[in-house]
Every structure is written in structure tokens, then in C-alpha cells.
Amino acid sequence: MLQDKKILIFVSGSIAIYKILSLIRLLRKEGALVRIIATKGALKFITPLSFETLSNTPLLHDGNECWAYSFSQDSTTNPPQNHIGYAKWADIALFAPITANSINKLAHGIADNIYLSSALALPNIPKFIAPSANTFMLANHTTQASLQLLESYGYQVIPSVYSSLACGDIGHGAMADIETILFTLKRACYTHAYWWKKKVIITGGGSSEAIDSVRCITNHSSGLQACNLALALYYLGANVQLISSKVPISLPHDIKIIQVKSSSDYEVAIKKALQSYQDSIQSNEKIYLFMVAAISDYIPNKQKGKIKKQDIGQTMSLELYENKDILASLYAPNLIKIGFKAECDSMNAKAHARNALLKKQCAMMCLNIINEENMSFGNTDNAFYLITQDSEKYIQGTKLEVSLQLCFHIQTLGLE
């Protein structure tokens, strides 16, 4: 996802700087190209050799800026080792950790070191700042005003978190965790005009229906496909609410997660999510519902307490009742429904999917044919037929890849 993206990391003197070594390693693993610019304060914590070993590129700092270079060299892959060369090279700039001192200087265009001179020379690219400072220094009116000023200039703040700080205080000021920063950088690469700020609801996992107070019936749905779809839509810039019984992977904090169990829990949560979006809707704005969850078709009447073996005997019969079709029951003039259907009967699967498409009034049905080659439950890979009233498209890949393919395909359908 970050393959060949040129990421320039600005590090200043904070105890959180040790986290950046892990970030550099992860970025390199994702295929990104990484260069680092450090303040004098940063080099009190981490030696240049550590940065250069992990990034496999020269560290730029006040003591090694160089203007003696060949004008014929390729600056896109081997930029001049000075503040202009490194700034022009970058696709994305990340200031992490950034101290209160650097925040205030950066906001007011002060360029009294190579770190700030390079920042001033950055072109119009995505710029992120991840503050790390004592709670009172960060909350100071001057620092807060500087953060607001930087946001008005186009910088995006990755908020600090509430934690026990190195100074002994407890409060906001700890730098965001590396996973959050990585999610944010990936979103910068994928943000898409069509999905930007779109209102999206995704259901995932499988419903769990109580037999008695301790037993239930459920299904094999792992929640992985729904989580990857939520991640894909987050990367593309959508506002995402995920309603799921299972959340098997870490997701960005900006994705609102509502955990549920029974089919009735799903219905209540979906309606609340729809209402929350309807309350803030603009005229003609659409809401997208991706019904990935495997909701029970049949449910038992829950028995009070625990059913005892001695009361049942050697054979237990369980009477089930047809469940409400939640997806078919949902309607709003601005609601676009995308259904998901799993079939084992490959001969008739597409016909069943088209019938469901019409019955549930969906814009698209994502058909997953379960067989020996595509046992998708819990696997990292998946394959779908994307079926509409007049088209069909086959997609396959990792669950994140098929999620992105699905989102891009929806854009071509002109559903708005």
C-alpha cells in the first residue's frame, strides 16, 4: 500500500522518539522509501547510525548539510543532502515526535535550524504532526493556537493520547501509537474524492442467538471481511461505523465500532447508526449500508435458565423460527444497500443472488461461492461476484484488496 511512497520524517527531541525506530522499520516493510531529518535535541536520544541503519539513507541534521553535489544526479531517488533537496524529494511529511518548541516555531515560520528550514521548503504535499509534550506545555494557549494555525495551513494533527508521561504527570501529551500513525499515513495515500466524507455503515461477524442462558447458535463468520472493508473505506476517506459481533484486527480510532450479539442487537444498532447520519445529512446525500454480517435466518425461543441434560434425555430437539429479514426491511430514499450472500450451490448461486438483489432492494449483491478453493471464513483471501441488475464482475485477492476493488467498482455504477 505504501510501496515506493517517499516519506520524510522530521524528528525532534522527545522521549517518544524511540517509537519512530519501529515506525521506520514498518514503513520499510511496507515498501516505503524513508528519509529522516533530526534536530540537535533528537540526536541526544538516538544516534544518527540508528536512523541510517533502519532507513538505509543518510540522516540530515545541522552538522552534515552538503551543497557539493552533481547537478546531473537523479534527485527523485538520491536527493541532494540539504534542506531543499530533502524537502523536494518527499511525497508525505511526518513530524513525529514534534515537541511544543518545534510546534510553536513551525507555526510561525521560524527557520533557525535545518529541521525547520526543510519544513519551510516543503511543497504542497500531505503533512502530519504527532505532538509529544508535557500536558501543560501542550495545553498552553500558545501551543494550542500554534496547532490551530498549522491546521489552517494544511497540516493534519495526529492527536496525542492520555497516558502516564515520562515526567511523571498523567494526562494528554503522549505521542499517538505507531499503529495509529501508520493508519493515518496509509489514508493519505488512498484518500479518494468519491468516498471522501461519505457516510458508511458496515455490519460484520455473525449473530449469536440464545438457546438458554448459557448456550447459543451462531455461524462461522469471522468478521475479517467486514473489518477489512471498514479499513478500506477509512483509507478512502469515508466516515465509517462498524457494527459487528467480532473485531479480529486492530482498526483506526476514527472508525466507530458498535459491538453486538443477536440479530435484534444488529437491527437496533443499524437503525441508530442510520438515524445518527440522517440527523446530520445534507440534501441529496447518500448513506451506504454494507450488510456483510451473517445474520441468522432461523432463531430459537430462548429458554429461561439453563436446560438440564437430565430433563432432556439422550436426544435434544430444537425448534427454530424464521427470523426477520433485516436488510429487506430497511428503507430510506437516500439509503444505498449492498448485500453479501454466501452460497455453496455453484450451479444456482448467481440466480439466488439476483433474486436476493431484487427482494432486498439492493444496489449490488456480493456473492461469495463457498467451495474447497474458496473457504473464506477466517482466511486472509476472498473472492466475490459483484452482481447488479445488469452487470457482473469477479474480484479476488486479500480481503483488503477485494474491499478496495469493491469500493472502486461502486464508483463506476453512478449510484449517487
Side-chain angles (χ1 to χ4, degrees):
M1 184 171 286
L2 293 171
Q3 186 67 40
D4 296 330
K5 290 292 181 181
K6 292 174 282 187
I7 300 175
L8 183 60
I9 303 177
F10 293 74
V11 293
S12 52
S14 163
I15 189 63
I17 197 170
Y18 74 92
K19 295 180 182 179
I20 297 305
L21 299 178
S22 297
L23 178 64
I24 295 168
R25 186 181 294 109
L26 289 172
L27 290 171
R28 293 285 309 283
K29 188 177 180 180
E30 294 269 354
L33 307 174
V34 180
R35 289 181 181 268
I36 302 104
I37 302 175
T39 63
K40 289 180 180 178
L43 298 183
K44 292 179 181 179
F45 290 93
I46 304 290
T47 66
L49 183 61
S50 297
F51 288 121
E52 292 180 340
T53 300
L54 289 172
S55 69
N56 196 32
T57 57
L59 173 74
L60 183 59
H61 57 86
D62 284 324
N64 72 345
E65 185 169 25
C66 178
W67 291 87
Y69 67 94
S70 169
F71 285 96
S72 63
Q73 74 183 63
D74 184 359
S75 62
T76 59
T77 56
N78 187 28
Q81 195 171 318
N82 53 58
H83 65 281
I84 301 298
Y86 270 43
K88 285 183 176 181
W89 171 85
D91 294 325
I92 298 172
L94 170 67
F95 295 76
I98 184 168
T99 61
N101 179 53
S102 293
I103 288 170
N104 289 310
K105 283 186 171 184
L106 183 63
H108 293 89
I110 296 171
D112 60 358
N113 59 36
I114 198 165
Y115 172 103
L116 294 163
S117 297
S118 301
L120 208 60
L122 286 170
N124 184 24
I125 59 174
K127 306 178 188 73
F128 300 93
I129 55 178
S132 174
N134 170 269
T135 300
F136 296 101
M137 295 175 73
L138 189 59
N140 185 281
H141 293 304
T142 302
T143 309
Q144 287 300 306
S146 293
L147 286 170
Q148 291 177 19
L149 194 58
L150 287 169
E151 285 184 308
S152 73
Y153 294 156
Y155 286 81
Q156 297 179 57
V157 177
I158 305 173
S160 62
V161 296
Y162 189 93
S163 180
S164 176
L165 306 179
C167 61
D169 288 344
I170 297 176
H172 281 281
M175 189 179 76
D177 60 80
I178 295 306
E179 193 171 46
T180 296
I181 294 173
L182 195 58
F183 281 140
T184 305
L185 294 177
K186 288 181 179 181
R187 193 180 202 195
C189 298
Y190 266 87
T191 295
H192 196 271
Y194 179 85
W195 287 105
W196 181 248
K197 298 298 182 183
K198 286 283 194 298
K199 293 175 169 59
V200 173
I201 300 167
I202 301 168
T203 67
S207 67
S208 175
E209 311 296 343
I211 296 171
D212 60 16
S213 297
V214 297
R215 300 179 180 89
C216 67
I217 58 172
T218 185
N219 55 65
H220 295 302
S221 179
S222 66
L224 269 174
Q225 184 61 69
C227 285
N228 277 279
L229 181 57
L231 194 54
L233 283 157
Y234 163 82
Y235 287 148
L236 294 173
N239 293 326
V240 181
Q241 295 191 48
L242 173 64
I243 300 166
S244 185
S245 61
K246 299 175 184 177
V247 183
I249 62 174
S250 296
L251 292 172
H253 299 306
D254 287 341
I255 295 176
K256 183 178 180 180
I257 299 172
I258 304 100
Q259 291 210 261
V260 291
K261 290 184 178 180
S262 69
S263 53
S264 61
D265 292 341
Y266 277 95
E267 182 178 17
V268 169
I270 293 167
K271 288 181 176 178
K272 283 185 178 179
L274 280 170
Q275 189 59 54
S276 70
Y277 280 151
Q278 295 287 9
D279 290 343
S280 60
I281 210 80
Q282 303 293 323
S283 60
N284 300 321
E285 191 174 0
K286 303 297 184 184
I287 299 172
Y288 292 78
L289 172 62
F290 293 83
M291 199 71 166
V292 189
I295 306 294
S296 299
D297 293 318
Y298 290 86
I299 58 175
N301 276 331
K302 181 183 176 181
Q303 304 294 308
K304 290 183 179 180
K306 178 183 176 182
I307 300 172
K308 297 291 187 179
K309 285 174 62 177
Q310 58 266 30
D311 296 334
I312 299 298
Q314 293 185 346
T315 303
M316 179 179 177
S317 296
L318 189 63
E319 192 169 18
L320 302 176
Y321 300 87
E322 187 175 5
N323 198 9
K324 179 179 181 180
D325 190 330
I326 297 173
L327 182 56
S329 71
L330 295 169
Y331 173 78
N334 61 338
L335 180 63
I336 295 175
K337 299 189 292 187
I338 293 93
F340 283 69
K341 189 170 181 58
E343 288 282 347
C344 293
D345 178 6
S346 58
M347 294 291 292
N348 300 299
K350 292 180 182 179
H352 293 324
R354 293 188 188 282
N355 289 336
L357 180 79
L358 297 174
K359 179 182 176 183
K360 300 173 190 286
Q361 296 181 300
C362 292
M364 178 190 294
M365 191 62 64
C366 302
L367 173 62
N368 189 207
I369 300 178
I370 307 298
N371 52 40
E372 290 183 1
E373 292 77 33
N374 184 36
M375 291 296 293
S376 64
F377 297 119
N379 289 347
T380 56
D381 294 341
N382 212 344
F384 285 115
Y385 288 94
L386 307 181
I387 295 174
T388 66
Q389 289 189 23
D390 53 11
S391 70
E392 176 186 309
K393 181 180 176 66
Y394 181 72
I395 60 173
Q396 63 180 338
T398 67
K399 288 185 174 176
L400 181 59
E401 289 170 347
V402 296
S403 296
L404 289 166
Q405 291 175 60
L406 167 60
C407 295
F408 292 136
H409 184 61
I410 288 173
Q411 181 189 352
T412 68
L413 300 179
L415 299 178
E416 289 192 307

